[in-house]
Amino acid sequence: AALYVAEVFLFIIIAVYFAKLAVLSMGIVSDYGDHVASVVTYVVDVIMLIATVDAVLGISSRKPSSWRKVMRGAILLFVFLVMGVPAVIGSIAGTGMSASALVTFSPVVVAVMCIPILGIMMTRTVRDHYVPPLQEMPGTGRWIAFAFFGQLFPAGRYEIDYS
C-alpha cells in the first residue's frame, strides 16, 4: 500500500512536468531570459520527466535498482528545486505572474512531495519488498549508501546453493 502512495506522488510530479513542458514548448515563457536558458530548462525537464516515468514503471518490480531510481529521482528533484529557488523568486518578484509560474513547483509543494516519497521508500516494509529471496535485510545505512553508489547485493554473494 505504501508503494501506491509513492506512485501517486510520482504521477503528480509527471503531470506537472508535462504541463511545464507544454508551456515551454509553446514559447509562452518570457521570464527565462535568452533562448539558451529556455532550451537548457526544456532539456533538463525532459530528462527529469524520463527519469520519473522510468521510476514509476519500475517501482512495482522487486529489483533493488528500481528502489534506487525512485530515491535518486526524489533527491534530484529536491536538488533542482534548491538550485532553482533564486530564479523562481527573482522571476516572481521582477515580473509578477507569468505562464511559467503556473507550472513551476513552489518549494513547499516539492518538499511536501519529496519528503514522503523518501520516507515511504525507507520504511522497512517497502525495503523488504526489494530484498531478493534468501537474502538478509541490509541495514538502513547500506540502503542509504546504495541510493548514491555501490551495490546492495554484490553478484558474488547473491547465489542460490541447491545442494
Side-chain angles (χ1 to χ4, degrees), residues 1-11 55-56 58-63 66-67 70 116-117 119-123 125-130:
L3 285 177
Y4 293 128
V5 175
E7 283 180 344
V8 168
F9 283 119
L10 290 170
F11 278 120
V56 167
I59 197 170
S60 62
S61 76
R62 298 185 70 90
K63 295 181 188 175
S66 298
W67 179 89
V70 173
I117 290 172
I120 288 168
M121 297 308 287
M122 285 304 297
T123 61
T125 57
V126 170
R127 287 183 291 138
D128 263 341
H129 177 75
Y130 292 101

Side-chain angles (χ1 to χ4, degrees), residues 8 16 54 56-57 70 74 83 95 108 110-111 118 120 133 136 139 160:
V8 168
V16 171
D54 188 35
V56 167
L57 292 175
V70 173
M83 289 174 22
T95 62
V108 174
V110 172
L118 294 171
I120 288 168
E136 293 182 17
I160 299 175

Side-chain angles (χ1 to χ4, degrees), residues 27 31 39 50 68 70 83 86 91 95 109 113 118-119 128 144 161:
D31 60 341
V39 170
I50 291 169
R68 179 172 35 192
V70 173
M83 289 174 22
S91 69
T95 62
V109 172
M113 284 190 278
L118 294 171
D128 263 341
I144 292 170
D161 185 13

Side-chain angles (χ1 to χ4, degrees), residues 1-147:
L3 285 177
Y4 293 128
V5 175
E7 283 180 344
V8 168
F9 283 119
L10 290 170
F11 278 120
I12 292 169
I13 292 169
I14 289 170
V16 171
Y17 273 122
F18 273 124
K20 189 173 182 182
L21 290 174
V23 168
L24 286 172
S25 65
M26 288 188 300
I28 296 174
V29 180
S30 62
D31 60 341
Y32 278 93
D34 62 322
H35 295 293
V36 174
S38 293
V39 170
V40 169
T41 302
Y42 192 83
V43 169
V44 167
D45 287 342
V46 167
I47 291 169
M48 287 304 296
L49 176 66
I50 291 169
T52 307
V53 168
D54 188 35
V56 167
L57 292 175
I59 197 170
S60 62
S61 76
R62 298 185 70 90
K63 295 181 188 175
S65 61
S66 298
W67 179 89
R68 179 172 35 192
K69 285 179 188 178
V70 173
M71 291 293 287
R72 284 182 177 174
I75 291 167
L76 278 175
L77 185 62
F78 195 77
V79 167
F80 283 139
L81 160 81
V82 170
M83 289 174 22
V85 167
V88 171
I89 292 171
S91 69
I92 291 172
T95 62
M97 191 65 152
S98 67
S100 67
L102 298 174
V103 291
T104 303
F105 284 129
S106 97
V108 174
V109 172
V110 172
V112 165
M113 284 190 278
C114 288
I115 292 171
I117 290 172
L118 294 171
I120 288 168
M121 297 308 287
M122 285 304 297
T123 61
R124 182 161 178 90
T125 57
V126 170
R127 287 183 291 138
D128 263 341
H129 177 75
Y130 292 101
V131 174
L134 305 175
Q135 292 291 310
E136 293 182 17
M137 170 66 85
T140 305
R142 281 199 46 212
W143 282 95
I144 292 170
F146 174 64

